Amino acid sequence: MTEKRMSRWYFGGLASCGAACCTHPLDLVKVHLQTQQEVKMKMVGMAMHVVKNDGVLALYNGLSASLCRQMSYSLTRFAIYETVRDMISSDSKGPMPFYQKVLLGAFGGFTGGFIGTPADMVNVRMQNDVKLPPELRRNYKHALDGLYRVFREEGVRRLFSGATMASSRGALVTVGQLACYDQAKQLVLGTGILGDNILTHFLSSFIAGGCATFLCQPLDVMKTRLMNSKGEYTGVMHCLKDTAKLGPSGFYKGLVPAGIRLIPHTVLTFLFLEQLKKYFGIVVVT
């Protein structure tokens, strides 16, 4: 008989919050780069511009919204994916096939993306506020204030502006992160060279972060543009056509900072998750 630790349904949300606290400045710079219509600044230049104009703490603008997003979006997708995966794996006495992981990840990510859209939209707006002239800034005090003001001033429908993009991106990034992480970890452990330790978790999550960045970047750019718009886009297709005017590179604007943010975020999320599972997980005897 051997003991195995299983993740609790809310561990994914907690792990994602821990990672978000570390990577939030990179996420903020990424949003600034994506909302440029013309490429004027690169990653380092944009970061220096934010610090010079508004101070170091401006790099953490929208942190409350980012945490709120993780506790809605990431908690939902991890809860769906890990709960169903563990149920299926325990019934079949073996790991799920990769195609099932992809389908499950897409479903969990799509659902989480929709639920997390309001917090995601407020997150984008709070991060982008420092770029706007003082008279045009929204000046949300925190995430809940932002959600309430959007609801009061713009209505419920506006809270879910960009939900199509957010849900589609959520599906892709969850396939890239969760499904690819599970598969990479399974392959690494299958070699017999490494055990179930922190090095294996690091390698697997690094691979997953790269897959997630490449898969979701075009949708991420469009989602950010839609959420930050002031009515200039009539819909997804209008945003698609406007972005396409910039050429193929327009859909991968901010790819480097997106990777620099998403890969460490993915690595930290899974490192935190594995430690939570190790020390506080449900003990299952097999």
Side-chain angles (χ1 to χ4, degrees), residues 243-268:
T243 308
K245 291 176 183 177
L246 303 172
S249 61
F251 291 99
Y252 281 92
K253 186 181 288 185
L255 179 64
V256 172
I260 292 173
R261 183 204 71 89
L262 188 56
I263 292 173
H265 179 86
T266 304
V267 170
L268 288 168

Side-chain angles (χ1 to χ4, degrees), residues 27-250:
D27 192 28
L28 180 133
V29 172
K30 180 204 71 172
V31 168
H32 283 309
L33 287 169
Q34 288 177 342
T35 51
Q36 293 182 111
Q37 186 60 31
E38 297 177 8
V39 179
K40 297 176 182 177
M41 296 187 191
K42 299 295 185 181
M43 183 183 172
V44 176
M46 183 64 79
M48 292 176 66
H49 176 74
V50 172
V51 172
K52 182 180 177 181
N53 287 353
D54 299 278
V56 176
L57 291 179
L59 290 171
Y60 280 90
N61 278 344
L63 179 60
S64 63
S66 182
L67 296 178
C68 183
R69 175 177 178 263
Q70 297 302 336
M71 289 305 290
S72 52
Y73 159 65
S74 285
L75 188 144
T76 301
R77 67 194 183 107
F78 270 91
I80 291 172
Y81 182 87
E82 297 211 312
T83 302
V84 175
R85 180 202 63 192
D86 292 342
M87 286 173 57
I88 293 175
S89 297
S90 61
D91 290 342
S92 62
K93 304 299 180 183
M96 289 171 62
F98 183 58
Y99 79 91
Q100 289 184 5
K101 294 175 185 174
V102 169
L103 293 174
L104 179 58
F107 174 74
F110 189 88
T111 307
F114 181 80
I115 291 173
T117 297
D120 198 7
M121 182 178 130
V122 172
N123 182 36
V124 168
R125 288 185 171 188
M126 289 178 73
Q127 289 177 346
N128 203 53
D129 230 22
V130 295
K131 278 176 64 181
L132 301 174
E135 66 274 11
L136 295 178
R137 293 182 182 181
R138 296 180 174 99
N139 294 318
Y140 298 149
K141 296 174 185 175
H142 46 73
L144 296 180
D145 177 56
L147 290 169
Y148 174 70
R149 280 183 52 190
V150 174
F151 170 73
R152 189 187 65 190
E153 297 166 11
E154 303 173 59
V156 177
R157 290 190 65 180
R158 189 60 177 167
L159 276 172
F160 287 90
S161 171
T164 304
M165 286 293 101
S167 299
S168 301
R169 178 193 179 276
L172 290 174
V173 78
T174 305
V175 168
Q177 284 184 327
L178 277 69
C180 290
Y181 175 78
D182 271 356
Q183 194 66 21
K185 183 180 174 183
Q186 184 181 325
L187 292 172
V188 171
L189 291 174
T191 63
I193 298 171
L194 295 173
D196 192 357
N197 53 38
I198 199 164
L199 180 57
T200 296
H201 304 156
F202 176 83
L203 288 173
S204 304
S205 56
F206 190 88
I207 293 168
C211 293
T213 303
F214 184 78
L215 283 173
C216 75
Q217 187 61 13
L219 286 176
D220 196 23
V221 169
M222 290 177 62
K223 179 202 67 148
T224 300
R225 285 173 169 266
L226 281 168
M227 287 183 170
N228 196 54
S229 72
K230 293 182 179 288
E232 58 263 39
Y233 297 125
T234 56
V236 174
M237 290 307 297
H238 185 194
C239 182
L240 176 67
K241 290 176 183 176
D242 191 60
T243 308
K245 291 176 183 177
L246 303 172
S249 61

